[in-house]
Every structure is written in C-alpha cells, then in structure tokens.
Amino acid sequence: MQHTNPMPVPAQSNPYSQPNQPKHSSVQILLLILGVALVTIAVFAFASFAYGLLGDIGRAVCIGIVGIAALIIGMLLTKRLRVTAEGLTWAGLAALSIDAVLIGDIPPVARVISDGYSSGLIILCITALAYALRAMAAHLPEPAAKPETSTSALPLRATTLYAMCALPFAFMSFISAMPIPNTDVQWVLAASVGSLVSIVFAAIVRIPQQARYADFEWMASIIAAMITLGIVSIFGCTTIDGADPLWITAITSFIPPALWAAILVILYKKPAIRTGKLLHPAHRIAPVLGFFWTLTITVESLLRRVLTDAMSNDPAARTIADCAAITVAGFALIAATLLMRRSIALSSQERISAAVMGSWMLLILIAGDFTHGSPLPMVVSIVGYVMMLAICVVFWIIAAQTQYQPVAAVPFVSRSTNTQTAQSASATFAPSPFIPARSTQPHPESLRPRPYPPTPEQAFPQPHVSPTRQTLNLLTAAQIIVTCFTAVTGIVLLFLAWTDPQPYAPVDLIAMLSGAATLIVGVRWLQVKPASRSWPTLWPALTLLMVPSLLISCVEPPSLPRMLALFAMSLCALLLGAALGLQAPLIYGTVVLVVHLLIVVWPWLAEFSRHYWWVWLLIGGVILIAAAARYEASLKSVRTLASRISDLR
C-alpha cells in the first residue's frame, strides 16, 4: 500500500512578520557597538588634546570632516550593509555633536553669537543633514543579489533616534542663552520647551510598520517629556513663585499644564504603529496627575500674586485665589466620580488618578485656609468642605437608587401545574414508530428541586445586610477614594477646631455639616428601600448633628446660638419621628432633648435645691403614691408604649 505525501499547507501570513528584516549576527552588532564607542572616545581625545597642534578652528574642521564622511558612507551602505551603515551613522552624528560644542567656544564665533545659540543651530543643521542624507539613500539602486533581504523600505533608525534626543537639546540651548535675569524661571522654561519639542516629535514622527520596535521613538519621546515635566511640576512650580518678571513667570507657569494636556491628547488619539490600537489606560495616569497638580498650583499662585499687587490686601487675594484653586480641584472630583462613562471615555485609572489628586489638593487647601486665622479664608475652607460633601452625597444617592431599582414581576408557576401540563401534553401526541417510547416513571433528575424566578420581595437585598456595605458594592474605586478623603478632611477640621478654637467655625459646626450630608443620604435610602429600618440608616447622621453640640454644652459655658440650635434639632427629630413613624429620630430626639433641658436648667435647679430641697422629697413621695395606686394600669401602659415604639420603623 502506497502512502502519498499530503499536500503542503501554506503558512499563514503573520501581519507582524518582517520580510525585509535582514538576519543580523550578534557578533556583528557587538563589534559595531565597540567600534562606534572607540571612535567616539577617539574623537573626544582628539578634541581635548589636539587643539594645541591644529588650533580651535583646525580641530573643529577635522572633526566635522570625519563626521560628515561617516554620514555619507553610512548613506551609501544603507541598501547593502545596513548594520554597518547604522554604526557609521551613529559615529558621524556623535562626532558632529562634539563639534557643535567646540565651534561655540571658538573666539570669533563666541564674539558674534553666544554658545547656546551656536550649539543649538549647529545641532539643528546636523539633524537636517542627517535627514537629507536619509532621503537621498532612499533613491539609491537596490542591490542585485538577494532582493528578499532588501531594506529599501526601512530608513536608518539612527537618524530618528538622534533627532529624538537632539531636537529637545537644541531648543533648550536656545532658552538657556536668552537674557532672562531669573535663573529659576530660565531652567523651568528651558525644560518646558524641551518637553514641548519631545511631544511634537512624538506626534509627527513616522516609522514604517515593518520596522523592529516601530513604536519606540514616539513612546520614548513621550516618556522623556513626562519625566521632564514631572521634575518641573514638583520643583519648578514652587521655585518660580514670586519670581520676576511677572509676564515670563505667568507664561512659564501655564506651559506645564498645557503640555500635560497635550500628552493626554496624544495618548488618546495616536495608536500604536504595530498593533493599530491605543495604549493601555495606565499610561495616562501620570498625565492626569500632572495636569491637575500643575493647574491647581499655577492658578492659586499666580492669581494670589496678581491680586495682592492690585488690591494691596493679602487675605482677600488669598481668598479669591484659593476659591479658584478649589474650583479646579472640585472639577477633578466631578470628572472622576460624576461624569457618565457612556458620555466620556474615562478609564478607571484616570478616574482614580483625578480623584486622588483632586482630593489631596482640596485637603491641603481646606486645612491651610482653616488655620489661617481670619474669617475670609476660613469661609473658603468651609465652602471647599461643603463641595466635597455635596459631591459625595450625589454619587451616594445615585448608588443607593441604582441598588434598589424595582424589578419586573415574573409570573410564578407551581411545580404541580408544570407536571399536569406536561402529562396532558404527552397524552395528546400518539407514539411514533421512529421515536422510542418514553417511560412514564419520573426521572430521578426531575425530582430534584429546580430554581424558579425570584419574587419581587426576594429580588431586594435582605434587611439584615448593612446599607453601607450594599452601596459600597456599587461605588467605583474613585468614589470610594473621594469618600475616604472627605472623611479624613472632616476629621482634620474637627481636630483643628478642637485644638485651635475659632469663633467662626466651632467643632459642632463642622460636625453639623457632615451630619446634614449624611442625613440626606439616609433619608434617600429610606425612600428607595421601604424595608430598611431607621436605626442603621439614620444613626450616624443624628449622632453628628446633635451629640457634639451636646458634649460641648457640658464642658463649655452656655452659648445661646448652640442652645437654640440643639433645642431645635432635637425637637424636630422628635416630632418628625413621631409623625413619620421612625423609631431612631423619635428616641434620639427625646433623649437629647431631655438631656439638653437638664443641662440648660441645671444651674437654676441647683440654686433652687439649695434653698428648697424639701420640694423634691414632696414630689418623689407623690409620684410613688400615685404609682402604687395605679400600678397595674401603669404597667400595662408601659408595656403598650414599649410595643408601640418597637413597631416603629
């Protein structure tokens, strides 16, 4: 029996295959790297020690000739010996870069143009020369032998990599040579301009898809720009605060947030060359953090400086500037927690970054203004805290409402009805000779309990589950972070108000603001979930609203506003609890009202008891006699009252 060979199956085409990529030897690449390194060291040595023989001009001319010759030879070898051409191009670019620095030190050139301008111009000329030779290499004839390994479609990577590093350095040299009197502003402006050039290069650079690591140039440029901007954002924005002249400081301050926004736009719009897909959203974490940080710092510092000079009033200028900064940070919280995911393409990484940075900036601004000591900044601090509370209230209400959306009722069919229907249906059809007869005995699987659609009552969560835990399951990570930061901010304000008493913001005022926000969420919770009890829902709000004021009334001298506010809150809680059938506000309001009245009238009671102490004995005796006379009826009334209270929600 003869066995025939199967037909060869054609190999599947790989979209990422590199048909034009030649086979390189690791030994060849290692030799070229060592050769380029030795040539560069030799150029350094020649530039350092040979100027005594040739002079500055002769030394620069010799190095320039060597560099240009290396570039030309690399251009000619592009189609034939690609790796060798890459090595020669790197050696030529390194020699010309050293020459750019040397030319600026030549006395005739230094008298006409400064060192920074000359170095930047020469580096731009070197880059232009490299790209011109690269364009000329594309028109050279293809090698006759082995056309399958031709690399005509792939230009030399050395040119693009050199431009990636040289262009930012050239423009930074220009800025460093400008006559800016303040050195802090100068280095921040130079670093910002260098980052701008890197961002522009990343946006416009084009690498063929067949090239190995086609995305390296533009991604490396973006990373370099983010590192430089990170240094500027951390150190530069604080060092130029108060620097002169003001117009250069203003321009320099607003460049970093604009560049962070430009990086975000590129990461949103530019796909990877190899895959055609956008980068992972984790790459946008640093731009989001840098954008909100620099924008908040810039707005606050510049606005405060301008208004201080114009108004000659530091507290008022600080107040307006901090209001603007709080608005920026509040926008970060809104973008992180309240913007709908369907309307804007914000990833969870960006939301978390915006939530962390916005909350951190608000915490700093609120705590700093609260301890400033004057009423205007303290008002700004409280306004910022109210903004955080309002944002938390909104998304907590949305989460609670989403948790308890009613589900459609599913008609319930009993098991007996299903069995009777199946038996009647099987009796209707006659047995067929092509279908085997089925046994009339029930199958063991049919006796097992089957899941049925839940009733509307079963669809809701169980009453014993904590409402807070249920809502946390629906909150995003950014919303949980904002909630935690808001709680920390409230604790910080309570501590500052307790340790440094302020007449404008006492401890119970901060607690009342937190309690009011918690009360709004709790009331909405009771509306959307009728089965929930009032104690687990309302006790945090009632505690924050009334307990701090009650404790302060015990240890501090009487205050008429605090007394009236506590009396009104406890009375309203008692009346609303009785009217709405809510157990928690009824009991809480009653207890607080009684304790508060005792605290208020205690000085008069003590004074009265000092002279008429026997009156209390008389009142106690009358009460005991009345209770003994109506013991049975009183006990029944107490039991009825306890049962009625326990029946409340």
Side-chain angles (χ1 to χ4, degrees), residues 331-630:
F331 172 75
L333 297 190
I334 294 173
T337 58
L338 298 181
L339 289 183
M340 299 295 102
R341 295 183 178 180
R342 296 181 180 179
S343 62
I344 186 168
L346 286 179
S347 63
S348 60
Q349 292 85 355
E350 293 171 279
R351 292 177 180 271
I352 292 174
S353 304
V356 171
M357 184 54 63
S359 301
W360 176 249
M361 295 303 300
L362 279 175
L363 176 59
I364 294 175
L365 291 170
I366 291 172
D369 287 342
F370 192 82
T371 58
H372 192 261
S374 58
L376 285 178
M378 189 171 295
V379 170
V380 175
S381 175
I382 295 176
V383 168
Y385 182 58
V386 170
M387 178 188 296
M388 296 183 72
L389 290 174
I391 294 173
C392 290
V393 166
V394 171
F395 62 70
W396 271 80
I397 289 177
I398 294 174
Q401 189 169 358
T402 306
Q403 175 76 29
Y404 296 106
Q405 287 180 348
V407 296
V410 181
F412 179 77
V413 181
S414 64
R415 185 181 299 276
S416 60
T417 306
N418 287 339
T419 306
Q420 295 174 2
T421 305
Q423 293 176 355
S424 61
S426 62
T428 306
F429 298 96
S432 174
F434 302 100
I435 303 176
R438 296 181 179 179
S439 175
T440 57
Q441 297 296 329
H443 193 272
E445 293 291 334
S446 64
L447 300 178
R448 296 182 179 180
R450 299 179 181 178
Y452 287 92
T455 61
E457 292 79 7
Q458 296 173 344
F460 290 102
Q462 298 298 323
H464 67 274
V465 181
S466 174
T468 305
R469 180 178 299 178
Q470 292 174 355
T471 308
L472 283 176
N473 294 332
L474 288 179
L475 293 179
T476 62
Q479 293 171 343
I480 294 175
I481 289 173
V482 174
T483 302
C484 295
F485 267 98
T486 304
V488 171
T489 305
I491 294 173
V492 170
L493 291 183
L494 288 174
F495 176 77
L496 294 176
W498 181 264
T499 56
D500 186 15
Q502 299 288 341
Y504 312 103
V507 176
D508 46 349
L509 176 61
I510 307 300
M512 286 180 187
L513 293 175
S514 306
T518 312
L519 182 63
I520 295 173
V521 177
V523 170
R524 184 56 183 168
W525 188 279
L526 290 176
Q527 292 177 351
V528 299
K529 187 187 178 186
S532 63
R533 304 279 296 181
S534 60
W535 274 109
T537 306
L538 298 180
W539 78 264
L542 297 173
T543 302
L544 289 172
L545 282 173
M546 293 182 283
V547 171
S549 298
L550 187 63
L551 295 177
I552 294 174
S553 300
C554 298
V555 298
E556 291 187 0
S559 174
L560 182 60
R562 180 180 290 113
M563 292 167 52
L564 294 178
L566 186 57
F567 179 80
M569 287 187 296
S570 58
L571 184 61
C572 289
L574 189 155
L575 295 177
L576 290 177
L580 301 177
L582 300 177
Q583 185 181 128
L586 176 63
I587 297 178
Y588 227 114
T590 302
V591 173
V592 172
L593 182 61
V594 171
V595 174
H596 177 57
L597 290 177
L598 288 176
I599 293 173
V600 171
V601 302
W602 182 255
W604 291 276
L605 290 177
E607 187 67 23
F608 177 80
S609 301
R610 182 181 304 175
H611 302 284
Y612 306 99
W613 56 271
W614 50 269
V615 175
W616 300 112
L617 299 178
L618 178 63
I619 295 175
V622 172
I623 292 176
L624 291 177
I625 294 173
R630 298 183 55 85

Side-chain angles (χ1 to χ4, degrees), residues 148-231:
E148 67 276 3
T149 60
S150 174
T151 57
S152 59
L154 299 177
L156 295 179
R157 300 292 293 273
T159 305
T160 308
L161 293 174
Y162 177 78
M164 180 186 71
C165 303
L167 291 177
F169 177 77
F171 283 91
M172 291 173 68
S173 299
F174 291 153
I175 300 300
S176 62
M178 294 178 63
I180 300 176
N182 194 300
T183 57
D184 293 332
V185 176
Q186 190 171 32
W187 82 262
V188 172
L189 184 60
S192 302
V193 172
S195 302
L196 174 62
V197 175
S198 298
I199 295 170
V200 173
F201 179 82
I204 65 176
V205 67
R206 294 292 182 268
I207 303 296
Q209 186 179 6
Q210 297 81 8
R212 185 180 298 180
Y213 310 116
D215 297 300
F216 176 77
E217 280 85 348
W218 78 270
M219 291 181 62
S221 298
I222 289 293
I223 293 174
M226 288 194 295
I227 293 175
T228 306
L229 283 177
I231 297 173

Side-chain angles (χ1 to χ4, degrees), residues 106-179:
I106 298 176
V109 178
R111 287 194 295 266
V112 177
I113 186 172
S114 64
D115 187 13
Y117 288 131
S118 62
S119 300
L121 287 174
I122 295 173
I123 289 175
L124 291 180
C125 293
I126 295 170
T127 307
L129 175 62
Y131 270 96
L133 294 176
R134 173 176 172 171
M136 294 172 60
H139 297 85
L140 294 176
E142 296 287 344
K146 298 181 180 180
E148 67 276 3
T149 60
S150 174
T151 57
S152 59
L154 299 177
L156 295 179
R157 300 292 293 273
T159 305
T160 308
L161 293 174
Y162 177 78
M164 180 186 71
C165 303
L167 291 177
F169 177 77
F171 283 91
M172 291 173 68
S173 299
F174 291 153
I175 300 300
S176 62
M178 294 178 63

Side-chain angles (χ1 to χ4, degrees), residues 33-285:
I33 292 175
L34 292 176
V36 171
L38 292 177
V39 170
T40 306
I41 294 173
V43 172
F44 268 114
F46 178 80
S48 302
F49 302 106
Y51 63 92
L53 300 175
L54 302 176
D56 293 332
I57 299 177
R59 177 183 57 175
V61 171
C62 291
I63 296 176
I65 291 174
V66 172
I68 294 174
L71 290 180
I72 294 175
I73 296 173
M75 175 200 70
L76 297 175
L77 296 179
T78 300
K79 300 296 183 65
R80 303 177 186 275
L81 301 173
R82 180 174 181 80
V83 179
T84 304
E86 290 277 7
L88 289 174
T89 303
W90 273 115
L93 292 173
L96 292 177
S97 299
I98 296 172
D99 203 26
V101 179
L102 296 177
I103 292 176
D105 295 333
I106 298 176
V109 178
R111 287 194 295 266
V112 177
I113 186 172
S114 64
D115 187 13
Y117 288 131
S118 62
S119 300
L121 287 174
I122 295 173
I123 289 175
L124 291 180
C125 293
I126 295 170
T127 307
L129 175 62
Y131 270 96
L133 294 176
R134 173 176 172 171
M136 294 172 60
H139 297 85
L140 294 176
E142 296 287 344
K146 298 181 180 180
E148 67 276 3
T149 60
S150 174
T151 57
S152 59
L154 299 177
L156 295 179
R157 300 292 293 273
T159 305
T160 308
L161 293 174
Y162 177 78
M164 180 186 71
C165 303
L167 291 177
F169 177 77
F171 283 91
M172 291 173 68
S173 299
F174 291 153
I175 300 300
S176 62
M178 294 178 63
I180 300 176
N182 194 300
T183 57
D184 293 332
V185 176
Q186 190 171 32
W187 82 262
V188 172
L189 184 60
S192 302
V193 172
S195 302
L196 174 62
V197 175
S198 298
I199 295 170
V200 173
F201 179 82
I204 65 176
V205 67
R206 294 292 182 268
I207 303 296
Q209 186 179 6
Q210 297 81 8
R212 185 180 298 180
Y213 310 116
D215 297 300
F216 176 77
E217 280 85 348
W218 78 270
M219 291 181 62
S221 298
I222 289 293
I223 293 174
M226 288 194 295
I227 293 175
T228 306
L229 283 177
I231 297 173
V232 171
S233 302
I234 296 174
F235 302 104
C237 294
T238 55
T239 56
I240 64 175
D241 188 14
D244 292 317
L246 180 59
W247 66 275
I248 295 181
T249 305
I251 294 175
T252 307
S253 300
F254 278 106
I255 289 178
L259 295 182
W260 284 119
I263 292 175
L264 280 174
V265 172
I266 292 177
L267 294 177
Y268 265 110
K269 298 297 183 180
K270 186 168 184 176
I273 298 174
R274 297 299 303 273
T275 62
K277 299 179 181 179
L278 296 176
L279 297 181
H280 193 270
H283 293 83
R284 301 196 288 264
I285 293 177

